[in-house]
Amino acid sequence: MTDRLRRQHLKTLGLAGMGLSLWSLNGCSSLSALTTSASDAADAVLWQKADAIIASIAPTAFAKQDFIITEFGAKAAADFDSSTAISAAIAACAAAGGGRVVVPAGRFNTGPVHLKSNVNLHLQNAAVLSFYPEPQRYLPAVFTRWEGVELMGYSPLIYAFEQENIAITGEGILEGNGSNTQWWPWKGQWKHTPWQLDAKTDQANTRNPLFAMAEAGVPVAERVFEQNYLRPPFIQPYRCKRVLIEGITIRNSPFWLINPVLSEDVIVRGVNCVSHGPNSDGCNPESSNRVLIENCLFDTGDDCIALKSGRNNDGRRLATPVQNVVIQDCMMRAGHGGVVLGSEISGGARNIFARRCRMSSPDLERGVRIKTNSVRGGLIENISIRDIDIGEVKDAIVINFFYEEGDAGAHLPQVKNLHISNLRVQKAQRAFLLRGFERAPISGVSLHHVQFNQTGSLGVLENVAQIDAVDLTLNGEALTL
């Protein structure tokens, strides 16, 4: 990298005025030493911003009173529906000023659960809340978002709309009962397709007309489908404030597992996300602000964590980025990607931080991933990733402007200030899959102290410019990009 670009990099990272002079140096060894020192100092400044985001998140707080669902008629019996009892407990809790709605040990069957302000749904140890895999139970339709597009659709299994100070906590299990016979077959063709294909129930029958409605600007209230084959997400706080999801295990989701939409002050902590169905993304904050995801396990059939902000025209209509997000101390196993941005990213993404995460699985396809195209568009900026250990992965770092439709639109994707440092990859098929457009190359990427060991190849670098590389190695050899 030229001295001019280094100076610009320091300015971008907020180090101007710190007394670092690149022009007074003579000799390559001194320049190299200062480059490393400057990059480390810049990294420290960046991560002060991450700590500030965490400190700014408004926490939840609940009255110290419990509403136990069995006292409202719930029964841990295979042939008993506890939906009405759970709803009654939530209503009573909210009316009393809030507190905990407690699910005791046992397996309780239920339909959709709708949270209210100041309610903490708490699952005790050995408690299982098992959701019926029967679509009609998730009607009437609610205001929801599906793959970045708003509609009136099936209620998420746990849903909250415009509520404040809500939580799902405890040591229990949320069982979605997605399977090769329930919910998941609506995906249609998928991998080896472990179910009988049925054209009548393929999600394309609803997905395609929904997306067409969004592009045509049809009001959300009119996006209603008599025959709906769009699987609901498991947990979706929509336009909520102060949300805590902590300690629980989520299994076999119909669709995305944790999906805060247009919400603020969200904490997802110590959650186990285990679901290997189609579109089993672990945690997908959409167009949300001030989000902390920490100490979680992701073992999923799709992206482990994917940050999103709306699809195409609908994302641009709302024009709300996903922003001020910190991901830390998480473990990623199987999945399409570990830490991902996109592909529904039309509203943009900014101020995203991920640190101290571990990823490894023969079934982990990508480590750090950005996926977008010129139909999505969106500005992705100020993304900082450090102290990531990847054991085994197919592609370590991916930025793909050709996802799905590719370069078929007028909305050029932009990536600015993507900074990756202290990334260690033990085994990979390819180090990179970086594919920009000839008319809009990938730029604004810095890679500092990145090691690729036991890596089959450098991979693909297509239409890439301005990579700031410091201390890169591939299979023990210095790497220059």
Side-chain angles (χ1 to χ4, degrees):
M1 183 176 67
T2 66
D3 288 352
R4 180 185 62 80
L5 288 177
R6 286 195 183 92
R7 181 178 291 279
Q8 180 60 42
H9 179 61
L10 293 175
K11 183 178 179 181
T12 298
L13 298 179
L15 294 180
M18 291 183 65
L20 298 175
S21 172
L22 295 175
W23 300 102
S24 61
L25 298 177
N26 300 312
C28 295
S29 60
S30 297
L31 180 58
S32 175
L34 182 58
T35 299
T36 300
S37 175
S39 69
D40 292 344
D43 206 38
V45 171
L46 278 174
W47 288 92
Q48 290 175 8
K49 297 178 182 178
D51 294 335
I53 290 171
I54 295 173
S56 73
I57 297 175
T60 54
F62 300 95
K64 295 186 181 301
Q65 52 185 347
D66 288 350
F67 298 79
I68 303 172
I69 64 170
T70 50
E71 296 178 359
F72 291 81
K75 296 180 181 179
D79 60 350
F80 191 83
D81 181 355
S82 292
S83 302
T84 300
I86 293 170
S87 295
I90 290 172
C93 181
R100 296 196 312 177
V101 170
V102 178
V103 182
R107 187 182 185 94
F108 297 87
N109 300 319
T110 186
V113 172
H114 289 188
L115 293 180
K116 296 182 180 294
S117 294
N118 303 313
V119 172
N120 175 3
L121 178 64
H122 182 79
L123 282 74
Q124 292 184 337
N125 186 32
V128 178
L129 204 54
S130 180
F131 290 81
Y132 288 109
E134 300 167 8
Q136 291 305 309
R137 289 180 178 268
Y138 298 87
L139 296 174
V142 301
F143 194 110
T144 184
R145 204 179 202 184
W146 198 90
E147 282 193 358
V149 176
E150 293 185 323
L151 77 156
M152 302 302 296
Y154 289 117
S155 170
L157 278 56
I158 299 180
Y159 178 68
F161 185 73
E162 295 183 342
Q163 303 299 304
E164 186 169 355
N165 192 42
I166 58 173
I168 307 167
T169 65
E171 300 176 348
I173 296 171
L174 298 174
E175 174 58 64
N177 290 303
S179 70
N180 291 341
T181 60
Q182 303 287 347
W183 289 125
W184 295 348
W186 286 4
K187 170 68 174 180
Q189 190 74 37
W190 181 66
K191 293 183 177 179
H192 54 284
T193 313
W195 44 74
Q196 185 68 38
L197 290 174
D198 183 352
K200 294 180 180 179
T201 61
D202 192 302
Q203 68 181 24
N205 294 322
T206 313
R207 185 178 190 261
N208 293 345
L210 171 63
F211 289 174
M213 286 180 175
E215 294 308 301
V218 173
V220 177
E222 298 176 21
R223 300 178 193 176
V224 181
F225 299 90
E226 184 176 348
Q227 299 296 323
N228 183 357
Y229 300 107
L230 302 180
R231 295 157 287 141
F234 207 131
I235 301 172
Q236 189 183 73
Y238 209 108
R239 297 186 197 157
C240 291
K241 297 180 179 180
R242 291 193 292 146
V243 178
L244 173 65
I245 303 172
E246 184 174 36
I248 56 171
T249 294
I250 307 171
R251 301 192 309 207
N252 301 318
S253 178
F255 190 62
W256 296 350
L257 277 68
I258 302 173
N259 179 211
V261 180
L262 294 159
S263 293
E264 298 179 352
D265 300 311
V266 178
I267 297 176
V268 180
R269 176 185 292 131
V271 176
N272 298 314
C273 293
V274 183
S275 182
H276 293 104
N279 308 109
S280 282
D281 295 46
C283 186
N284 289 2
E286 288 194 273
S287 302
S288 292
N289 186 18
R290 296 186 301 277
V291 179
L292 173 63
I293 306 169
E294 65 178 355
N295 296 310
C296 294
L297 167 69
F298 298 96
D299 193 355
T300 64
D302 209 302
D303 293 325
C304 295
I305 296 174
L307 308 180
K308 301 175 180 289
S309 57
R311 183 185 185 101
N312 302 354
N313 188 54
D314 234 37
R316 288 185 284 273
R317 173 177 63 87
L318 295 174
T320 305
V322 57
Q323 61 184 330
N324 302 317
V325 178
V326 179
I327 300 162
Q328 60 186 18
D329 302 308
C330 291
M331 177 68 193
M332 291 81 168
R333 292 179 181 165
H336 287 184
V339 175
V340 179
L341 287 94
S343 66
E344 299 85 5
I345 202 71
S346 301
R350 63 191 180 207
N351 305 331
I352 310 298
F353 297 85
R355 62 183 169 188
R356 301 191 305 267
C357 292
R358 292 174 297 136
M359 311 176 188
S360 186
S361 172
D363 298 318
L364 181 63
E365 297 186 14
R366 305 159 190 93
V368 177
R369 182 188 193 191
I370 295 175
K371 49 180 175 175
T372 184
N373 59 44
S374 63
V375 179
R376 302 282 192 277
L379 171 59
I380 299 170
E381 62 178 342
N382 304 332
I383 313 300
S384 303
I385 297 169
R386 82 169 188 186
D387 298 332
I388 305 295
D389 286 302
I390 301 179
E392 184 173 1
V393 70
K394 293 181 175 64
D395 294 329
I397 300 175
V398 175
I399 305 174
N400 185 9
F401 285 5
F402 286 87
Y403 185 79
E404 288 192 342
E405 297 96 335
D407 192 6
H411 305 278
L412 291 178
Q414 300 179 69
V415 176
K416 295 183 178 180
N417 304 331
L418 168 62
H419 182 57
I420 299 176
S421 62
N422 299 335
L423 172 69
R424 295 164 293 275
V425 180
Q426 185 60 32
K427 182 180 180 181
Q429 293 180 13
R430 296 186 295 188
F432 298 104
L433 176 58
L434 307 184
R435 298 188 66 212
F437 297 147
E438 185 175 356
R439 63 190 179 116
I442 294 169
S443 62
V445 177
S446 59
L447 304 172
H448 294 176
H449 314 304
V450 176
Q451 300 176 7
F452 301 102
N453 302 314
Q454 299 180 49
T455 298
S457 70
L458 179 64
V460 176
L461 289 91
E462 180 180 303
N463 296 319
V464 180
Q466 298 180 354
I467 288 187
D468 166 16
V470 175
D471 185 27
L472 265 64
T473 60
L474 178 67
N475 299 325
E477 299 290 333
L479 176 62
T480 301
L481 298 180

